[in-house]
Amino acid sequence: MTSIDLNADLGEGFGRWRLTDDEQLLSVVTSANVACGFHAGDAATMRRVCELAAERGVRIGAQVSYRDLAGFGRRAMDVPPAELAAEVAYQIGALEVFARAAGTRVSYVKPHGALYNRVVHDEEQAAAVVEGVQLADPALPVLGLPGSRLLEYAVKAGLTSVAEAFADRGYTTEGTLVPRGQDGAVVTDPEAVVERSVGLARFGTVTSHSGAPVDVRARSLCLHGDTPGAVELALLVRRRLQESGVRVEAFA
């Protein structure tokens, strides 16, 4: 039977401000990409999400980012490789404290926002992220875009690489994500998101923004938690996947 992991970006709040419905989404997804304080999240939020994830048996992933709270980690930044490696390790270590306190541990690492997109092509930044993961725990899998420099360097370093796909993001014909701010960057029609999810899980293909089919072989499917109706959409995606004969389970 075909299987797929469902992941979502969670813990994306700060202080009294909350962006994602963490409790409800943790009842749907199998892996949680938890903000580690650099693009969103604070100590109390990280602790709360780790406790909720542990209660539900959801795997915890460290969602590492450029240090950019004001820009939500979506602004391009030039960070020296040694500094970036240290900051990636720092973020993983911070989340690990709360994961262990909740009786579990960090199970994987995924970059966020501008860093995620940068390490698709930038060898220096990709190598720095991999170095940061190695500093924190060389046993941690790295989640990223298929064909990215990040996953390439992860494999070279002996780390486990896990490819992911996005049901609600537009794809170019090269298999990369359409940049946010451009037409077609985000897929908003719920039925289209559901259909894309099933297609990605069962056949490893998705339709690009130009209408051409693109091969996207992935073990994990990301559902964004910061979009309107995110919980209802996640429930619909999971149900349709299971009705299509796809087993939903964590990769880690």
Side-chain angles (χ1 to χ4, degrees):
M1 179 184 289
T2 300
S3 65
I4 195 79
D5 169 67
L6 291 181
N7 76 75
D9 302 346
L10 301 178
E12 292 185 329
F14 198 84
R16 297 181 63 183
W17 174 72
R18 292 187 184 182
L19 178 63
T20 50
D21 190 341
D22 299 327
E23 187 164 1
Q24 293 299 315
L25 284 167
L26 282 168
S27 298
V28 183
V29 300
T30 46
S31 297
N33 316 316
V34 183
C36 298
F38 273 38
H39 74 280
D42 55 28
T45 301
M46 292 162 67
R47 180 180 183 182
R48 176 179 56 82
V49 175
C50 284
E51 290 173 347
L52 290 171
E55 289 173 3
R56 292 161 171 75
V58 175
R59 301 297 187 271
I60 295 171
Q63 186 159 43
V64 297
S65 169
Y66 288 128
R67 189 187 292 271
D68 181 28
L69 273 176
F72 197 61
R74 289 180 175 167
R75 296 185 293 191
M77 303 182 76
D78 290 317
V79 181
E83 182 178 337
L84 180 58
E87 292 192 336
V88 166
Y90 178 92
Q91 292 175 77
I92 297 169
L95 187 64
E96 179 71 6
V97 168
F98 298 116
R100 286 188 178 275
T104 183
R105 60 170 302 166
V106 172
S107 296
Y108 64 94
V109 178
K110 174 185 173 178
H112 166 83
L115 181 58
Y116 186 98
N117 292 318
R118 181 76 171 266
V119 297
V120 171
H121 301 294
D122 191 311
E123 296 184 0
E124 187 176 67
Q125 296 281 281
V129 171
V130 169
E131 181 185 348
V133 176
Q134 289 178 298
L135 282 171
D137 184 351
L140 289 173
V142 177
L143 187 62
L145 203 69
S148 64
R149 289 291 178 265
L150 174 67
L151 296 191
E152 176 188 333
Y153 274 74
V155 171
K156 288 181 178 179
L159 303 178
T160 299
S161 68
V162 181
E164 77 166 334
F166 294 80
D168 56 0
R169 288 295 308 277
Y171 277 83
T172 68
T173 53
E174 292 76 31
T176 57
L177 300 180
V178 176
R180 287 184 180 271
Q182 293 187 14
D183 290 341
V186 180
V187 180
T188 57
D189 177 56
E191 189 56 35
V193 173
V194 171
E195 290 180 2
R196 289 161 68 89
S197 299
V198 173
L200 285 162
R202 294 190 63 195
F203 310 113
T205 61
V206 67
T207 302
S208 73
H209 70 306
S210 65
V214 180
D215 287 334
V216 182
R217 304 287 174 175
R219 178 65 187 85
S220 186
L221 184 65
C222 181
L223 299 172
H224 283 98
D226 59 350
T227 54
V231 174
E232 292 75 14
L233 181 57
L235 284 166
L236 183 59
V237 167
R238 177 160 184 157
R239 184 171 69 248
R240 192 71 63 83
L241 285 169
Q242 292 171 326
E243 290 173 351
S244 302
V246 177
R247 183 172 63 246
V248 177
E249 62 180 6
F251 68 83

